[in-house]
Amino acid sequence: IPVDPFDLVIFGGTGDLARRKILPALFRRFCAGQMEEGTRIIGAARSQMDDVEYRAFVAEALLEFNSGHSGCEPGTIKRFQKTLSYVTLDARGEEGWDALAAKMHPGRVRAFYFSVGPSLFSDLAQRLHQYGMADHDARIVVEKPFGRDLATAQALNRSLAEHFDESQIYRIDHYLGKETVQNLMALRFGNMLFEPLWNSRYVDHIQITVAETVGVGGRGEYYDRAGAMRDMVQNHLMQLLCLIAMEPPAKFDPDAVRDEKLKVIRALGEVGRDDLVRGQYLADHEKPGYLEHVENPDSITESFIAMKLNVINWRWAGTPFYLRTGKRLSDRASEIAVVFKEAPHNIFTEDTGRHRNILTIRLQPNEGIDLDVTIKEPGPGGMRLVDVPLDMTFSEALGPDADDAADAYERLIMDVVRGNQTLFMRGDEVEAAWAWTDPIIASWEARGDKPIPYATGSFGPEDALALLHRSGRKWREIR
Ligand code: BG6
């Protein structure tokens, strides 16, 4: 469905995120016919450039980062370029702001994408106000990292709140834009089958894995100050955990959903020293290790983290959640596994195996959902049991279009334009997540804990396996 023409300003319009994600996402929505004639996309950054140069710059980025996506004719780039313009602008000075204000169309939705470091958020908000662009039609989009602890997140929230209402602030967590992540809500709240079993009576434990094969090369400076806890757990994994653990909201509306997520974060227990494993990847014969990547031989920042945690409420008491994420692991695989308890009594005495139903929600690659069910092993061998997956790979089950599923950024940016905040983090959610994260980081810092080295291409440090083995459980294979 096309949306009314809008004005979108990308602060940091020549930066990496704009080139890789924001502009290709906008281009694909343009190709899909979702942008009405007259929509304006305005790049704003410090570099000296004019409109013609910016259009060429964007075309280059599209050629580099949009390959593999079908549906865009070669000539479409030319038409898309007509929507683009550029303003040289100094976030902390006065240069460019009048020119930017002159480009705005009164009465239209206008969105300002802060694709810059958080140290500029407050300056940008203040300038938008000063130059009369922060009226009620304005929306701002901010990227992570949203602070590095509770105090900095609170300060950011305060500085944005000086000029914008919470309903105008869109804090992006791109995991919430992933197709399967939204499907998680459809699965839980659109079916009768799962919700009655979705509690500690029937669920033994839950695993959330986000494994990456990439290292931190190129982003070493940022990453070494963050580490996996701040970079991934406080936001992406936390959001996944919330969607799994939350109570059904009364309706699918932004505040109803976010209220329920917030309650989950507030119910998280402390994580004890024995329930946490941090790791750092080593070099292999081809690629440098973490320490070389961040150019800091003494770094004790983690590129891998695994933990056991508890959601202390009526529904989940006694069902642990295991989280792990890391770089340079054996495969790129992100999934959530809901591991159900074993049947209370085995009537098949010929079978001595352990069987349990596992519902796996695969985020990437190969998006889909599968449910391991126990059936009789085929053949004349008697009543032996075997677990087989009922597999719903979206691209197979729903046809080729599912493969083409809009990239998370496409969906999220269009939600900004439509004014739908459901898939964006509210200020109090972000603060609650930091309030839980801060003491965990503070305690390992106080102890001076060092991460455990692990081999590139492995599953992370052995100790992470022990986290589950201790209670007779095991991680699912990363494949
Ligand atoms: C980003 C992190 O938010 O998410 C990166 O900063 C990480 O370190 C990335 O690589 C992972 O996103 P995706 O969509 O590739 O799983």
Side-chain angles (χ1 to χ4, degrees):
I1 311 163
V3 292
D4 289 341
F6 58 91
D7 293 339
L8 171 70
V9 179
I10 309 172
F11 294 117
T14 55
D16 208 45
L17 184 73
R19 277 170 10 97
R20 282 172 190 276
K21 301 282 185 195
I22 305 172
L23 289 158
L26 287 164
F27 177 57
R28 291 201 289 274
R29 288 296 90 208
F30 180 83
C31 294
Q34 210 174 18
M35 282 183 206
E36 289 273 346
E37 194 94 356
T39 288
R40 288 283 160 265
I41 298 164
I42 303 152
R46 284 173 66 161
S47 322
Q48 295 291 337
M49 247 192 229
D50 60 21
D51 290 354
V52 175
E53 285 165 322
Y54 190 60
R55 288 174 182 159
F57 168 89
V58 173
E60 221 169 273
L62 294 179
L63 291 175
E64 190 174 347
F65 297 110
N66 197 48
S67 57
H69 279 269
S70 56
C72 297
E73 305 299 324
T76 321
I77 292 192
K78 281 216 151 26
R79 282 202 294 125
F80 180 65
Q81 280 177 315
K82 295 205 181 105
T83 67
L84 298 166
S85 62
Y86 182 80
V87 178
T88 303
L89 178 130
D90 180 2
R92 295 203 161 116
E94 308 306 320
E95 186 191 356
W97 287 96
D98 278 326
L100 183 64
K103 283 181 183 281
M104 299 290 111
H105 296 82
R108 271 192 188 184
V109 164
R110 64 175 73 128
F112 299 95
Y113 201 125
F114 291 14
S115 178
V116 294
S119 59
L120 290 179
F121 287 0
S122 127
D123 294 294
L124 290 175
Q126 198 277 325
R127 288 283 186 286
L128 284 171
H129 168 74
Q130 181 186 335
Y131 285 86
M133 287 177 270
D135 60 16
H136 62 273
D137 291 324
R139 289 159 200 180
I140 58 172
V141 185
V142 295
E143 275 285 339
K144 65 175 275 252
F146 199 82
R148 56 172 284 107
D149 53 21
L150 177 59
T152 48
Q154 283 172 329
L156 282 177
N157 275 336
R158 271 197 305 272
S159 69
L160 297 180
E162 273 179 39
H163 306 297
F164 295 93
D165 186 71
E166 181 63 34
S167 63
Q168 297 176 285
I169 305 173
Y170 291 72
R171 294 176 196 79
I172 284 211
D173 183 312
H174 79 280
Y175 265 58
L176 289 178
K178 289 184 191 278
E179 183 73 7
T180 330
V181 174
Q182 291 168 76
N183 240 311
L184 185 54
M185 286 191 270
L187 185 81
R188 281 195 62 192
F189 306 129
N191 293 284
M192 190 56 207
L193 200 58
F194 301 109
E195 205 45 32
L197 307 178
W198 210 260
N199 57 55
S200 59
R201 230 172 126 187
Y202 299 102
V203 177
D204 179 72
H205 73 279
I206 287 166
Q207 301 185 13
I208 302 179
T209 297
V210 178
E212 299 185 275
T213 50
V214 292
V216 303
R219 298 166 73 222
E221 205 191 315
Y222 149 76
Y223 194 92
D224 203 36
R225 278 182 283 115
M229 183 72 159
R230 290 190 172 94
D231 184 52
M232 296 294 287
V233 177
Q234 186 271 347
N235 37 79
H236 305 325
L237 277 83
M238 179 69 68
Q239 290 296 322
L240 299 180
L241 181 138
C242 284
L243 296 177
I244 285 281
M246 73 186 192
E247 296 300 317
K251 48 188 171 178
F252 192 60
D253 113 343
D255 278 328
V257 170
R258 297 184 300 177
D259 286 346
E260 295 306 334
K261 290 198 294 169
L262 180 62
K263 287 185 208 159
V264 174
I265 304 175
R266 290 191 173 150
L268 291 177
E270 287 169 17
V271 176
R273 184 178 189 170
D274 293 341
D275 290 334
L276 183 85
V277 177
R278 296 164 63 237
Q280 198 181 68
Y281 63 83
L282 293 165
D284 67 4
H285 52 283
E286 281 174 6
K287 296 184 190 134
Y290 180 84
L291 297 178
E292 293 93 85
H293 266 155
V294 299
E295 295 174 13
N296 176 6
D298 302 321
S299 171
I300 52 169
T301 301
E302 76 287 352
S303 60
F304 173 97
I305 191 162
M307 64 177 81
K308 173 183 169 192
L309 57 96
N310 297 303
V311 179
I312 306 174
N313 62 16
W314 192 288
R315 186 188 282 258
W316 293 116
T319 296
F321 285 68
Y322 295 96
L323 269 49
R324 67 177 161 167
T325 181
K327 306 229 178 254
R328 277 291 177 79
L329 300 178
S330 60
D331 277 295
R332 176 170 187 253
S334 300
E335 64 165 46
I336 303 167
V338 180
V339 182
F340 288 88
K341 291 187 172 169
E342 286 175 53
H345 167 63
N346 177 13
I347 64 167
F348 306 107
T349 43
E350 281 174 65
D351 184 86
T352 51
R354 296 182 66 185
H355 303 282
R356 42 179 47 161
N357 302 118
I358 302 178
L359 178 72
T360 312
I361 298 125
R362 297 191 305 269
L363 270 53
Q364 58 197 27
N366 206 12
E367 298 185 325
I369 294 173
D370 65 51
L371 176 64
D372 284 1
V373 288
T374 304
I375 57 165
K376 179 190 165 298
E377 200 173 74
M383 276 311 268
R384 295 230 166 69
L385 304 181
V386 60
D387 298 333
V388 293
L390 280 176
D391 185 349
M392 190 172 79
T393 299
F394 291 158
S395 57
E396 287 165 15
L398 306 177
D401 278 354
D403 253 350
D404 223 355
D407 163 86
Y409 276 89
E410 293 180 54
R411 180 172 297 117
L412 294 174
I413 294 172
M414 291 331 273
D415 276 358
V416 173
V417 176
R418 287 196 204 92
N420 184 349
Q421 288 187 305
T422 312
L423 300 177
F424 295 83
M425 291 180 296
R426 210 167 52 191
D428 51 2
E429 251 184 283
V430 178
E431 290 184 13
W434 282 121
W436 173 79
T437 313
D438 281 359
I440 303 174
I441 297 179
S443 61
W444 82 54
E445 281 179 352
R447 292 193 300 263
D449 287 354
K450 296 197 170 63
I452 304 166
Y454 63 92
T456 284
S458 68
F459 302 137
E462 291 277 318
D463 292 41
L465 306 180
L467 206 58
L468 274 81
H469 286 174
R470 283 205 295 270
S471 50
R473 301 176 171 120
K474 68 177 196 311
W475 287 110
R476 289 168 54 76
E477 233 173 86
I478 302 176
R479 41 187 162 123

